[in-house]
Amino acid sequence: LQLAGALRQALQRDELQLHYQPQLSIRDGRVVGAEALLRWRHPEWGMVSPAEFIPIAEESGLITPIGEWVIRTAVRQMKAWRARGLPEMPVAVNLSAVQFRQENITELITRILDEEGLPYHLLELELTEAVAMDDAQRAVRIMDSLHEQGIRMSIDDFGTGYSSLSYLKKFKVSKLKIDQSFVRDLDEDPEDKTIVGTIIHMAASLGMKTIAEGVETASQLAFLRLHGCDEVQGFYFSKPLPAGQFEAFARSNG
Ligand code: G
Ligand code: G
Ligand code: MN
Ligand code: NA
């Protein structure tokens, strides 16, 4: 397969890059974190979306080296920002289904953090609700072991993966990320208003924070603020940025 071959070379040829999307506190608008998002710039095809190549990386097994590269690169970036005096904030990295099923995932992650010398609490891992619920018992085990090490987890695309509340209660996650499909029509759709409000209140009662994804308008922000959502992420504030631009954004919104 052409794409898999090109992807194998992408790692060696330095064609992969991480962009960082700011996450802001809804109370004061300060940047409190970032989500690392993978970018692949192919010399001939241009930008290839992770939505396109992550599935191929999973099928071909390339997700293992790529996933490790993503974690290590995000960790090194945090160290660089730290050395440059940027206030400390966690960076969230997306975990794919295959990575999540790796037997030694906790050890792999703590090994990278140890090798790079970064405190464990600065790395956050995002797992989609669908992947977590696909094998919820395993998710509970892995979350327990990551939590024991002080590594934070959040549930991505929340609201799309039919969580059982009895499992959600057992998941040691610090944050629910409200899926952008509910945020998109928040201004017009009364059902989405109900869903988003309910997620925020449920999360609070379970001791979890909420972050809304895909925030694009002032009125979406106003609704989220009124209902006590903790953090926001979306084009209204910033698209995902190259590391240098993220740093500038964080400094002027700190
Ligand atoms: O940033 P963008 O909208 O192009 O991302 C498209 C999809 O790719 C999103 O679902 C996002 O979660 C996923 N994605 C981006 N970076 C990574 C990554 O490093 N690992 C995994 N597994 N998925 C990623
Ligand atoms: O699946 P995940 O939530 O990890 O994917 C995040 C994706 O959402 C990224 O590809 C990112 O580029 C995209 N994204 C981030 N903010 C917005 C936004 O405000 N609107 C839209 N439509 N997409 C966004
Ligand atoms: Mn995500
Ligand atoms: Na998401």
Side-chain angles (χ1 to χ4, degrees), residues 18 50 98 102 112 114 117 157 196 214 236 238 241-242:
L18 289 184
V98 170
Q102 259 174 262
I112 293 173
D114 289 341
D157 303 346
V196 169
Y236 184 64
S238 171
L241 301 169

Short mmCIF file of all heavy atoms in Angstrom, two decimals, residues 18 50 98 102 112 114 117 157 196 214 236 238 241-242:
data_model
loop_
_atom_site.label_atom_id
_atom_site.label_comp_id
_atom_site.label_asym_id
_atom_site.label_seq_id
_atom_site.Cartn_x
_atom_site.Cartn_y
_atom_site.Cartn_z
N LEU A 18 4.15 18.11 15.36
CA LEU A 18 3.02 18.30 16.26
C LEU A 18 2.61 19.76 16.24
O LEU A 18 3.45 20.65 16.26
CB LEU A 18 3.37 17.89 17.69
CG LEU A 18 3.55 16.41 17.98
CD1 LEU A 18 3.80 16.18 19.47
CD2 LEU A 18 2.34 15.61 17.50
N PRO A 50 -4.51 13.48 9.88
CA PRO A 50 -4.41 12.29 10.74
C PRO A 50 -5.66 11.42 10.67
O PRO A 50 -5.56 10.20 10.85
CB PRO A 50 -4.21 12.86 12.14
CG PRO A 50 -4.54 14.30 12.05
CD PRO A 50 -4.37 14.72 10.63
N VAL A 98 -5.19 1.04 19.18
CA VAL A 98 -4.12 0.03 19.20
C VAL A 98 -3.12 0.32 20.32
O VAL A 98 -2.69 -0.60 21.04
CB VAL A 98 -3.41 -0.05 17.83
CG1 VAL A 98 -2.17 -0.90 17.89
CG2 VAL A 98 -4.37 -0.58 16.76
N GLN A 102 -1.98 -1.99 23.81
CA GLN A 102 -0.62 -2.47 24.06
C GLN A 102 -0.50 -2.88 25.52
O GLN A 102 -0.91 -2.15 26.42
CB GLN A 102 0.38 -1.34 23.82
CG GLN A 102 1.11 -1.41 22.50
CD GLN A 102 1.97 -0.17 22.28
OE1 GLN A 102 1.56 0.76 21.59
NE2 GLN A 102 3.14 -0.13 22.89
N ILE A 112 9.41 6.87 28.89
CA ILE A 112 9.70 8.10 28.14
C ILE A 112 9.83 9.29 29.10
O ILE A 112 10.77 10.09 29.00
CB ILE A 112 8.61 8.36 27.08
CG1 ILE A 112 8.66 7.27 26.00
CG2 ILE A 112 8.79 9.75 26.45
CD1 ILE A 112 7.52 7.33 24.99
N ASP A 114 10.63 9.25 32.24
CA ASP A 114 11.87 9.10 33.01
C ASP A 114 13.09 9.48 32.18
O ASP A 114 13.96 10.21 32.64
CB ASP A 114 12.02 7.65 33.50
CG ASP A 114 11.01 7.30 34.59
OD1 ASP A 114 10.47 8.24 35.21
OD2 ASP A 114 10.77 6.11 34.82
N GLY A 117 13.06 13.09 31.81
CA GLY A 117 13.10 13.83 33.06
C GLY A 117 11.98 14.85 33.22
O GLY A 117 12.20 15.95 33.71
N ASP A 157 -14.04 13.01 22.84
CA ASP A 157 -15.28 12.81 22.07
C ASP A 157 -16.41 12.35 22.97
O ASP A 157 -17.23 11.51 22.58
CB ASP A 157 -15.07 11.79 20.93
CG ASP A 157 -13.95 12.18 19.98
OD1 ASP A 157 -13.52 13.35 20.01
OD2 ASP A 157 -13.51 11.32 19.19
N VAL A 196 -25.39 19.03 26.58
CA VAL A 196 -24.17 19.66 27.09
C VAL A 196 -24.32 20.03 28.56
O VAL A 196 -23.44 19.76 29.38
CB VAL A 196 -23.78 20.89 26.23
CG1 VAL A 196 -22.68 21.71 26.89
CG2 VAL A 196 -23.34 20.44 24.83
N GLY A 214 -14.25 22.40 19.99
CA GLY A 214 -14.89 22.96 18.80
C GLY A 214 -15.68 24.23 19.06
O GLY A 214 -16.65 24.51 18.36
N TYR A 236 -12.59 29.62 17.92
CA TYR A 236 -12.91 30.94 18.45
C TYR A 236 -11.69 31.54 19.16
O TYR A 236 -11.50 32.75 19.19
CB TYR A 236 -14.10 30.85 19.42
CG TYR A 236 -14.57 32.18 19.95
CD1 TYR A 236 -15.10 33.14 19.08
CD2 TYR A 236 -14.48 32.49 21.31
CE1 TYR A 236 -15.53 34.37 19.55
CE2 TYR A 236 -14.91 33.72 21.79
CZ TYR A 236 -15.43 34.65 20.90
OH TYR A 236 -15.86 35.87 21.37
N SER A 238 -8.27 29.77 19.10
CA SER A 238 -7.10 29.49 18.26
C SER A 238 -7.23 28.13 17.61
O SER A 238 -7.74 27.19 18.20
CB SER A 238 -5.83 29.52 19.12
OG SER A 238 -4.74 29.06 18.36
N LEU A 241 -1.58 25.20 16.64
CA LEU A 241 -0.48 26.06 16.21
C LEU A 241 0.87 25.33 16.28
O LEU A 241 1.08 24.50 17.17
CB LEU A 241 -0.38 27.28 17.14
CG LEU A 241 -1.60 28.20 17.23
CD1 LEU A 241 -1.42 29.18 18.40
CD2 LEU A 241 -1.81 28.94 15.92
N PRO A 242 1.79 25.69 15.38
CA PRO A 242 3.17 25.22 15.55
C PRO A 242 3.70 25.68 16.92
O PRO A 242 3.23 26.69 17.44
CB PRO A 242 3.92 25.91 14.41
CG PRO A 242 2.90 26.35 13.44
CD PRO A 242 1.63 26.55 14.21
#
